[in-house]
Every structure is written in C-alpha cells, then in structure tokens.
C-alpha cells in the first residue's frame, strides 16, 4: 500500500510539475539558498561550501540532496568599507522511485553598503538568477494497466505516454539584509528574500502551461553573542511560505574555542534545531582554523514518525574560507563582517 501511494504521488508531481524548494537542516551553512544578499557574510575573501543530505531511507527510496556554494568578495574601493560579493550556487536533488531530479546553476551578485564608520553595520542587496533543469524517469514507475489480477507484471507495457521528461527554465530571486553589532560582543542580522519572482512555468505537459513554480517569501534572522573569552552562543532562524505552505526552523549552537591564534581557532559547536512540526535536529560542528565540518540528524516528529520510526535524514557539510593575496583583499579593510551568516 505504501508503495502504491508513493507511486501515485510521484505521477501527480511528474504530470503537473508541482514542486517546492529543497531544504537543508544545516540551512545556515548555505547562505545563498536562504537569501542572495547573505553572500559574502564571512571573514575572508572567498568561501567554498558543500552539503550532502539523505532522508526517508526508512520509508522509501532515499531522497538525496546536494549543494555546492562558492563565494568571493571584493572591496568597492581602496578606502571604502563597501564591498561586492559574487557567488555561484549549485544544487542537485533526486527524489523517489521516479528519480525526479532538479539541478540548479545559480550565479549570485550582492552589494554591501556600510552605514557606520564605527562598527560593522551594513545594508546588503543581492540578486540570484540562473538555469534550472527538472527531470524524471517514467520507466521506474508502476501504472494500473501493468497489474493483472492484482499482481504487477513488468512484461505488461503501460499505455501511459510521456512526451517530455525534461524541463529547463530560468529562475530569479532577490533579497535584502540589515546587519550590525552592539558593544562588539553581539552581532545580529535580519533580512528577507523573494524567491522565484518570475514564477517560471514548470509543467512537463505543454497543455498545462498555466502551472507555475510558486514564489517563496523568506525571513532570515541570526545573532551571535560572546560569553566570556572563548565561548559564544549562536542563533539562527528562518521562516518561509511557498505555494500555500509555510515552515519555520530555528535553533541554537554553543561554541567553545579549544585553541585560538589571532582570528583563527579550533572550535567545537554543539546544539539543536527545530523544524516546526517536522523534526528535532541535533548538531555537532568542528572548526579547524579555516576549515569547518558539520553533522546533523533529523529526528522525525511529524505525522510520518510511525512509518519512519522517527528516522528522518543524515546531513554533512564542509566549508573552507581564506584570504587572497590580491590588491583589493578585504584583509586590509577597516570593517569586515564576522562569520554571523
């Protein structure tokens, strides 16, 4: 019964192209998927981030999501506290028996305007737009005309015809963030983003050309507070609504510096996040100077928890940041935002 239900849902999604954005438990490690204007919010000239997520293996064919983000930032001038960020967000998602997949190639550009000469106060505006390709494999699906006397037979060819199993379209998003600090011990930001503002057509069937990817409105917030010399509390929160659905995810990390050399450190993080009505997410993360690795596991608390035995998904992230030996490196700038994004 579970297999039939999943197959029916896959067929509906394939025919109409109905879809929503992928979501990572370590959403804070993928800033451009949260808000294009968050590109460049780190200490350094460039950052590379990769994430891998596998979920629902206890229920059906695992849903696998991967993302790679590349960011670089450049000072707007030799004596300017303003700066630009360029980024590239790549994602790949494969879900269910039909191998329904989505690959995104999304360049990002952002400008960060300094609002204060005394502290790191910025107003950031970012744009993300690029090519998206959707696809599915109908040969992996089972149809009612392939069942004989209640039994499925692969030798029975289905009469279902799929003229198009690939779809390519342009997608655009925009965002804005205000970030600042208080007493040099508390750093915070608040922003909003509007994804898929062009509402691209996402139907595989040309006769259903009114099916569009619903826009997503997202609100982002974060705060970092120092506790003593070698400890910090870090909070992240996102709320978004898309296609009539809504979701909120938030949590806390406690950071302890084991070794600190100037602005670099070996640090250990521990904490937990909550995806409302969906999952509790324990987090462990390690910073080894400019390299970071994070681990999470979703403990399912949704209505699917009985079928999934509360097992959601495992996720790992890896990131690296550093400076470049270039003329307009942010290393020599008066103001440069810390890693609060």
């Amino acid at each position: 019964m579970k297999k039939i239900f999943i197959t029916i849902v896959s067929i509906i999604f394939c025919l109409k192209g109905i879809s929503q954005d992928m979501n990572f438990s370590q959403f804070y490690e993928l800033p451009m998927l949260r808000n294009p204007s968050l590109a460049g919010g780190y200490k350094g000239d460039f950052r590379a981030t990769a994430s891998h997520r596998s979920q629902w293996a206890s229920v059906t064919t695992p849903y696998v999501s991967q993302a790679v983000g590349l960011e670089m930032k450049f000072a707007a001038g030799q004596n300017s506290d303003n700066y630009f960020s360029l980024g590239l967000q790549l994602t790949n998602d494969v879900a269910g028996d039909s191998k329904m997949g989505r690959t995104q190639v999304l360049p990002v550009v952002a400008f960060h305007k300094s609002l204060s000469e005394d502290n790191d106060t910025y107003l950031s505006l970012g744009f993300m737009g690029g090519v998206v390709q959707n696809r599915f494999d109908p040969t992996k699906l089972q149809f009612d005309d392939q069942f004989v006397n209640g039994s499925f037979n692969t030798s029975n060819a289905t009469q279902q015809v799929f003229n198009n199993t690939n779809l390519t379209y342009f997608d655009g998003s925009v965002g804005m963030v205000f970030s600042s600090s208080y007493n040099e011990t508390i750093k915070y930001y608040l922003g909003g983003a509007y994804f898929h503002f062009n509402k691209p057509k996402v139907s595989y069937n040309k006769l259903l050309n009114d099916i569009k990817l619903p826009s997503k409105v997202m609100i982002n917030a974060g705060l970092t507070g120092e506790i003593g010399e070698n400890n910090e509390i870090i909070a992240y929160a996102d709320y978004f609504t898309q296609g009539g659905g809504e979701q909120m995810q938030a949590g806390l990390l406690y950071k302890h510096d084991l070794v600190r050399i100037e602005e670099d450190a070996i640090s250990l993080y521990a904490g937990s996040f909550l995806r409302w009505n969906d999952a509790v997410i324990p987090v462990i993360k390690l910073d080894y100077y400019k390299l970071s690795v994070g681990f999470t596991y979703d403990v399912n608390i949704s209505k699917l928890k009985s079928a999934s035995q509360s097992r959601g998904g495992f996720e790992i992230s890896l990131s690296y940041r550093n400076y470049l030996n270039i003329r307009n490196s942010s290393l020599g700038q008066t103001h440069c935002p810390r890693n609060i994004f």
Side-chain angles (χ1 to χ4, degrees), residues 27-29 34 189 220-224 234-238 249-253 269 272-274 285 339-341:
F27 59 93
Y28 46 88
E29 299 288 356
R34 300 177 67 200
Y189 64 91
N220 324 104
L223 182 146
T224 300
I234 305 169
Y236 299 99
D238 277 354
Q249 50 196 18
L252 292 171
L253 292 175
Y269 302 70
S272 182
F273 284 76
L274 173 67
K285 180 181 176 182
N339 299 311
I340 61 171
F341 296 165

Side-chain angles (χ1 to χ4, degrees), residues 96 131 133 153 226 281 308:
V131 177
Q133 191 252 349
N153 191 333
E226 296 182 8
I281 308 163
S308 67

Side-chain angles (χ1 to χ4, degrees), residues 73-207:
K73 62 186 184 184
F74 308 91
Q78 189 171 4
N79 298 314
S80 174
D81 292 328
N82 305 326
Y83 66 100
F84 292 93
S85 297
L86 297 178
L88 179 64
Q89 182 65 66
L90 308 174
T91 69
N92 186 62
D93 193 39
V94 180
D97 294 331
S98 69
K99 303 300 180 183
M100 175 173 279
R102 180 189 304 173
T103 299
Q104 301 181 109
V105 181
L106 303 172
V108 178
V109 59
F111 176 70
H112 309 269
K113 172 65 177 176
S114 176
L115 303 180
S116 173
E117 295 181 356
D118 300 321
N119 61 11
D120 292 337
T121 300
Y122 283 88
L123 184 64
S124 305
L125 176 66
F127 172 82
M128 180 169 66
V131 177
V132 181
Q133 191 252 349
N134 290 355
R135 63 203 174 275
F136 72 99
D137 184 359
T139 65
K140 303 297 183 181
L141 297 174
Q142 300 175 5
F143 299 90
D144 57 356
D145 57 1
Q146 293 178 290
F147 286 81
V148 178
N149 296 324
S151 299
F152 176 76
N153 191 333
T154 56
S155 63
N156 294 329
T158 180
Q159 300 301 308
Q160 297 287 341
V161 177
F162 297 92
N163 296 318
N164 184 23
T165 61
N166 286 273
L167 177 68
T168 302
Y169 56 88
F170 175 83
D171 188 25
S173 306
V174 65
M176 180 176 289
V177 165
F178 173 81
S179 59
S180 189
S181 61
Y182 178 76
N183 286 342
E184 297 186 357
T185 59
I186 297 177
K187 300 175 177 63
Y188 61 91
Y189 64 91
L190 179 65
Y194 187 50
F195 291 84
H196 324 305
F197 61 74
N198 58 320
K199 297 182 179 179
K201 296 179 180 180
V202 291
S203 176
Y204 292 96
N205 190 334
K206 294 182 179 180
L207 299 179

Side-chain angles (χ1 to χ4, degrees), residues 208-224:
L208 300 175
N209 59 7
D210 59 336
I211 304 297
K212 298 180 179 180
L213 179 63
S215 298
K216 179 173 72 174
V217 176
M218 197 164 193
I219 298 173
N220 324 104
L223 182 146
T224 300

Side-chain angles (χ1 to χ4, degrees), residues 45 72-74 324-330:
D45 290 330
M72 292 190 68
K73 62 186 184 184
F74 308 91
L324 296 173
N325 186 21
I326 56 178
R327 181 178 179 182
N328 56 347
S329 170
S330 61

